[in-house]
Amino acid sequence: MKLGVNIDHVAVLREARRVNDPDILNALWVACQSGADQITIHLREDRRHIQDVDAYNIMKHSTLPVNLECSINRDILNIVTELKPHRATLVPEKREEVTTEGGLDLFGYEDEIAYAIEFLHDYIIPVSLFIDPTIEAVEKSKELGAEMVELHTGTFANIFAMLNSSLSHSNHSIKELELSRNELSIRLEKSITDITTTAKHAKKIGLEVAAGHGLNYHNVYEMMKIAEITELNIGQSIVARSVFSGLTDAIKEMKRLTSR
Ligand code: PXP
């Protein structure tokens, strides 16, 4: 299993004060030394965390492959082609969201996504699509020409957190909280089945399979059971733990949990 460490949240902390502290390049250096297999960053249109200069510096100094998440916005795609990351992961973006809330709408934005994939391929940049775990989305990803899919694990992670609510402060409504544990267990099983069957199908039709969003030290073992998933991209939980244990230990522990 490849561990992609998403260091966006180090830049979130820095942007809170707009001083170069913590330095994203220190985070890069620590991640490269601590067992990460890949660096993942998201250059958002609103530049709320990673700035263009961060992306350039990370590309310049990373000793690990860089997986650059981005939207299908043309200005962003132009920057991506200049940066030439090892892979671009296309994600949906909304200004008002706290974080990426779901997979790409492959059917609603089919032409735009097809264009983005072709454009990136012209610059020899492999493309992964961040999708909801459904067979239709996997089929469409293949048809659109992606090499890889990253399955959105947010639904799984949210239900897992609800079932183990003392472990997490995820945002869920009172109504959801009132669902019986039985109902939550059924929903959790379904979310895992969705990810598993989608991952198997993706591999079967020749796509590489990653997963990410909301994965943490408590829930990641469920993803480790799915042999077709060969990469996990994890940010929030690693950076959150690093506040208490340091980034080196936080990454090493996640690497230990995600080693097969
Ligand atoms: N993968 C993708 C495509 C994402 O957009 C994100 C969030 O930036 C992650 C993985 C990491 O999610 P988290 O920060 O919840 O671990």
mmCIF file of all heavy atoms in Angstrom, residues 179-203:
data_model
loop_
_atom_site.group_PDB
_atom_site.id
_atom_site.type_symbol
_atom_site.label_atom_id
_atom_site.label_comp_id
_atom_site.label_asym_id
_atom_site.label_seq_id
_atom_site.Cartn_x
_atom_site.Cartn_y
_atom_site.Cartn_z
ATOM 1 N N LEU A 179 -30.081 7.886 14.753
ATOM 2 C CA LEU A 179 -30.191 6.575 14.108
ATOM 3 C C LEU A 179 -29.635 5.524 15.052
ATOM 4 O O LEU A 179 -28.634 5.722 15.719
ATOM 5 C CB LEU A 179 -29.350 6.559 12.837
ATOM 6 C CG LEU A 179 -29.949 7.218 11.599
ATOM 7 C CD1 LEU A 179 -28.877 7.346 10.533
ATOM 8 C CD2 LEU A 179 -31.102 6.393 11.077
ATOM 9 N N SER A 180 -30.304 4.399 15.094
ATOM 10 C CA SER A 180 -29.841 3.365 16.011
ATOM 11 C C SER A 180 -28.485 2.836 15.564
ATOM 12 O O SER A 180 -28.115 2.953 14.389
ATOM 13 C CB SER A 180 -30.845 2.219 16.041
ATOM 14 O OG SER A 180 -30.799 1.565 14.793
ATOM 15 N N ARG A 181 -27.768 2.275 16.498
ATOM 16 C CA ARG A 181 -26.466 1.696 16.156
ATOM 17 C C ARG A 181 -26.616 0.614 15.091
ATOM 18 O O ARG A 181 -25.764 0.459 14.233
ATOM 19 C CB ARG A 181 -25.813 1.109 17.417
ATOM 20 C CG ARG A 181 -25.284 2.150 18.365
ATOM 21 C CD ARG A 181 -24.501 1.505 19.479
ATOM 22 N NE ARG A 181 -23.248 0.913 18.991
ATOM 23 C CZ ARG A 181 -22.144 1.603 18.771
ATOM 24 N NH1 ARG A 181 -22.123 2.900 18.949
ATOM 25 N NH2 ARG A 181 -21.049 0.997 18.356
ATOM 26 N N ASN A 182 -27.732 -0.097 15.165
ATOM 27 C CA ASN A 182 -27.973 -1.132 14.153
ATOM 28 C C ASN A 182 -28.030 -0.554 12.761
ATOM 29 O O ASN A 182 -27.414 -1.056 11.833
ATOM 30 C CB ASN A 182 -29.315 -1.826 14.425
ATOM 31 C CG ASN A 182 -29.101 -3.085 15.211
ATOM 32 O OD1 ASN A 182 -27.943 -3.446 15.461
ATOM 33 N ND2 ASN A 182 -30.180 -3.725 15.604
ATOM 34 N N GLU A 183 -28.805 0.510 12.661
ATOM 35 C CA GLU A 183 -28.961 1.166 11.371
ATOM 36 C C GLU A 183 -27.587 1.668 10.885
ATOM 37 O O GLU A 183 -27.227 1.526 9.719
ATOM 38 C CB GLU A 183 -29.960 2.322 11.524
ATOM 39 C CG GLU A 183 -30.106 3.241 10.321
ATOM 40 C CD GLU A 183 -30.642 2.540 9.079
ATOM 41 O OE1 GLU A 183 -31.249 1.480 9.213
ATOM 42 O OE2 GLU A 183 -30.400 3.063 7.971
ATOM 43 N N LEU A 184 -26.830 2.239 11.813
ATOM 44 C CA LEU A 184 -25.502 2.743 11.438
ATOM 45 C C LEU A 184 -24.584 1.604 11.003
ATOM 46 O O LEU A 184 -23.811 1.747 10.054
ATOM 47 C CB LEU A 184 -24.873 3.509 12.605
ATOM 48 C CG LEU A 184 -25.430 4.911 12.857
ATOM 49 C CD1 LEU A 184 -24.837 5.492 14.126
ATOM 50 C CD2 LEU A 184 -25.133 5.832 11.676
ATOM 51 N N SER A 185 -24.684 0.467 11.702
ATOM 52 C CA SER A 185 -23.842 -0.681 11.335
ATOM 53 C C SER A 185 -24.183 -1.160 9.930
ATOM 54 O O SER A 185 -23.294 -1.502 9.146
ATOM 55 C CB SER A 185 -24.042 -1.844 12.307
ATOM 56 O OG SER A 185 -23.682 -1.447 13.588
ATOM 57 N N ILE A 186 -25.476 -1.180 9.630
ATOM 58 C CA ILE A 186 -25.899 -1.600 8.281
ATOM 59 C C ILE A 186 -25.349 -0.628 7.241
ATOM 60 O O ILE A 186 -24.817 -1.015 6.204
ATOM 61 C CB ILE A 186 -27.443 -1.694 8.202
ATOM 62 C CG1 ILE A 186 -27.941 -2.850 9.075
ATOM 63 C CG2 ILE A 186 -27.911 -1.863 6.763
ATOM 64 C CD1 ILE A 186 -29.429 -2.838 9.367
ATOM 65 N N ARG A 187 -25.460 0.655 7.558
ATOM 66 C CA ARG A 187 -24.959 1.666 6.609
ATOM 67 C C ARG A 187 -23.441 1.586 6.461
ATOM 68 O O ARG A 187 -22.890 1.794 5.377
ATOM 69 C CB ARG A 187 -25.379 3.062 7.062
ATOM 70 C CG ARG A 187 -26.854 3.334 6.745
ATOM 71 C CD ARG A 187 -27.363 4.616 7.342
ATOM 72 N NE ARG A 187 -26.547 5.771 7.004
ATOM 73 C CZ ARG A 187 -26.799 7.003 7.396
ATOM 74 N NH1 ARG A 187 -27.855 7.259 8.129
ATOM 75 N NH2 ARG A 187 -26.009 7.989 7.058
ATOM 76 N N LEU A 188 -22.772 1.264 7.562
ATOM 77 C CA LEU A 188 -21.302 1.143 7.483
ATOM 78 C C LEU A 188 -20.926 -0.028 6.579
ATOM 79 O O LEU A 188 -20.066 0.093 5.705
ATOM 80 C CB LEU A 188 -20.706 0.951 8.879
ATOM 81 C CG LEU A 188 -19.169 0.936 8.904
ATOM 82 C CD1 LEU A 188 -18.612 2.308 8.538
ATOM 83 C CD2 LEU A 188 -18.643 0.511 10.262
ATOM 84 N N GLU A 189 -21.612 -1.153 6.800
ATOM 85 C CA GLU A 189 -21.334 -2.331 5.964
ATOM 86 C C GLU A 189 -21.569 -2.017 4.493
ATOM 87 O O GLU A 189 -20.793 -2.395 3.624
ATOM 88 C CB GLU A 189 -22.246 -3.503 6.379
ATOM 89 C CG GLU A 189 -21.719 -4.302 7.551
ATOM 90 C CD GLU A 189 -20.245 -4.674 7.416
ATOM 91 O OE1 GLU A 189 -19.879 -5.274 6.383
ATOM 92 O OE2 GLU A 189 -19.452 -4.342 8.318
ATOM 93 N N LYS A 190 -22.653 -1.280 4.231
ATOM 94 C CA LYS A 190 -22.973 -0.945 2.840
ATOM 95 C C LYS A 190 -21.880 -0.047 2.250
ATOM 96 O O LYS A 190 -21.441 -0.238 1.110
ATOM 97 C CB LYS A 190 -24.337 -0.264 2.739
ATOM 98 C CG LYS A 190 -24.695 0.015 1.286
ATOM 99 C CD LYS A 190 -25.977 0.762 1.071
ATOM 100 C CE LYS A 190 -26.250 1.055 -0.406
ATOM 101 N NZ LYS A 190 -25.140 1.590 -1.190
ATOM 102 N N SER A 191 -21.420 0.915 3.037
ATOM 103 C CA SER A 191 -20.390 1.826 2.508
ATOM 104 C C SER A 191 -19.100 1.052 2.214
ATOM 105 O O SER A 191 -18.419 1.324 1.213
ATOM 106 C CB SER A 191 -20.139 2.992 3.473
ATOM 107 O OG SER A 191 -19.475 2.544 4.635
ATOM 108 N N ILE A 192 -18.788 0.065 3.040
ATOM 109 C CA ILE A 192 -17.577 -0.735 2.801
ATOM 110 C C ILE A 192 -17.774 -1.626 1.563
ATOM 111 O O ILE A 192 -16.866 -1.768 0.734
ATOM 112 C CB ILE A 192 -17.220 -1.579 4.052
ATOM 113 C CG1 ILE A 192 -16.844 -0.640 5.211
ATOM 114 C CG2 ILE A 192 -16.076 -2.550 3.754
ATOM 115 C CD1 ILE A 192 -16.751 -1.307 6.565
ATOM 116 N N THR A 193 -18.985 -2.201 1.449
ATOM 117 C CA THR A 193 -19.274 -3.028 0.275
ATOM 118 C C THR A 193 -19.185 -2.196 -0.999
ATOM 119 O O THR A 193 -18.637 -2.639 -2.018
ATOM 120 C CB THR A 193 -20.694 -3.652 0.393
ATOM 121 O OG1 THR A 193 -20.739 -4.363 1.621
ATOM 122 C CG2 THR A 193 -20.990 -4.592 -0.751
ATOM 123 N N ASP A 194 -19.720 -0.980 -0.955
ATOM 124 C CA ASP A 194 -19.655 -0.103 -2.144
ATOM 125 C C ASP A 194 -18.204 0.134 -2.558
ATOM 126 O O ASP A 194 -17.852 0.068 -3.739
ATOM 127 C CB ASP A 194 -20.311 1.258 -1.845
ATOM 128 C CG ASP A 194 -21.826 1.154 -1.756
ATOM 129 O OD1 ASP A 194 -22.380 0.116 -2.184
ATOM 130 O OD2 ASP A 194 -22.454 2.110 -1.253
ATOM 131 N N ILE A 195 -17.364 0.428 -1.576
ATOM 132 C CA ILE A 195 -15.949 0.706 -1.884
ATOM 133 C C ILE A 195 -15.279 -0.561 -2.424
ATOM 134 O O ILE A 195 -14.549 -0.536 -3.419
ATOM 135 C CB ILE A 195 -15.209 1.241 -0.625
ATOM 136 C CG1 ILE A 195 -15.794 2.599 -0.216
ATOM 137 C CG2 ILE A 195 -13.703 1.368 -0.897
ATOM 138 C CD1 ILE A 195 -15.339 3.087 1.158
ATOM 139 N N THR A 196 -15.579 -1.694 -1.790
ATOM 140 C CA THR A 196 -14.942 -2.954 -2.189
ATOM 141 C C THR A 196 -15.341 -3.355 -3.615
ATOM 142 O O THR A 196 -14.476 -3.650 -4.445
ATOM 143 C CB THR A 196 -15.341 -4.093 -1.213
ATOM 144 O OG1 THR A 196 -15.060 -3.661 0.113
ATOM 145 C CG2 THR A 196 -14.576 -5.368 -1.504
ATOM 146 N N THR A 197 -16.635 -3.342 -3.883
ATOM 147 C CA THR A 197 -17.078 -3.794 -5.220
ATOM 148 C C THR A 197 -16.593 -2.817 -6.289
ATOM 149 O O THR A 197 -16.210 -3.232 -7.389
ATOM 150 C CB THR A 197 -18.614 -3.948 -5.298
ATOM 151 O OG1 THR A 197 -19.206 -2.761 -4.791
ATOM 152 C CG2 THR A 197 -19.119 -5.119 -4.527
ATOM 153 N N THR A 198 -16.589 -1.539 -5.951
ATOM 154 C CA THR A 198 -16.124 -0.550 -6.927
ATOM 155 C C THR A 198 -14.631 -0.724 -7.190
ATOM 156 O O THR A 198 -14.175 -0.667 -8.338
ATOM 157 C CB THR A 198 -16.409 0.878 -6.411
ATOM 158 O OG1 THR A 198 -17.781 0.973 -6.084
ATOM 159 C CG2 THR A 198 -16.102 1.903 -7.471
ATOM 160 N N ALA A 199 -13.875 -0.956 -6.127
ATOM 161 C CA ALA A 199 -12.428 -1.138 -6.292
ATOM 162 C C ALA A 199 -12.139 -2.370 -7.150
ATOM 163 O O ALA A 199 -11.287 -2.344 -8.053
ATOM 164 C CB ALA A 199 -11.759 -1.276 -4.920
ATOM 165 N N LYS A 200 -12.873 -3.441 -6.884
ATOM 166 C CA LYS A 200 -12.660 -4.682 -7.663
ATOM 167 C C LYS A 200 -12.970 -4.438 -9.134
ATOM 168 O O LYS A 200 -12.228 -4.862 -10.018
ATOM 169 C CB LYS A 200 -13.559 -5.809 -7.127
ATOM 170 C CG LYS A 200 -13.050 -6.420 -5.834
ATOM 171 C CD LYS A 200 -13.872 -7.650 -5.454
ATOM 172 C CE LYS A 200 -13.571 -8.129 -4.058
ATOM 173 N NZ LYS A 200 -12.159 -8.346 -3.746
ATOM 174 N N HIS A 201 -14.077 -3.757 -9.382
ATOM 175 C CA HIS A 201 -14.464 -3.514 -10.769
ATOM 176 C C HIS A 201 -13.443 -2.608 -11.463
ATOM 177 O O HIS A 201 -13.072 -2.853 -12.617
ATOM 178 C CB HIS A 201 -15.856 -2.895 -10.829
ATOM 179 C CG HIS A 201 -16.395 -2.827 -12.221
ATOM 180 N ND1 HIS A 201 -16.773 -3.954 -12.920
ATOM 181 C CD2 HIS A 201 -16.567 -1.782 -13.069
ATOM 182 C CE1 HIS A 201 -17.171 -3.609 -14.126
ATOM 183 N NE2 HIS A 201 -17.060 -2.284 -14.245
ATOM 184 N N ALA A 202 -12.992 -1.610 -10.749
ATOM 185 C CA ALA A 202 -12.004 -0.676 -11.340
ATOM 186 C C ALA A 202 -10.743 -1.438 -11.741
ATOM 187 O O ALA A 202 -10.218 -1.272 -12.847
ATOM 188 C CB ALA A 202 -11.676 0.427 -10.338
ATOM 189 N N LYS A 203 -10.285 -2.291 -10.840
ATOM 190 C CA LYS A 203 -9.074 -3.051 -11.156
ATOM 191 C C LYS A 203 -9.323 -3.961 -12.353
ATOM 192 O O LYS A 203 -8.479 -4.088 -13.253
ATOM 193 C CB LYS A 203 -8.629 -3.859 -9.938
ATOM 194 C CG LYS A 203 -7.443 -4.714 -10.276
ATOM 195 C CD LYS A 203 -6.542 -5.026 -9.141
ATOM 196 C CE LYS A 203 -5.266 -5.663 -9.694
ATOM 197 N NZ LYS A 203 -4.849 -6.801 -8.890
#
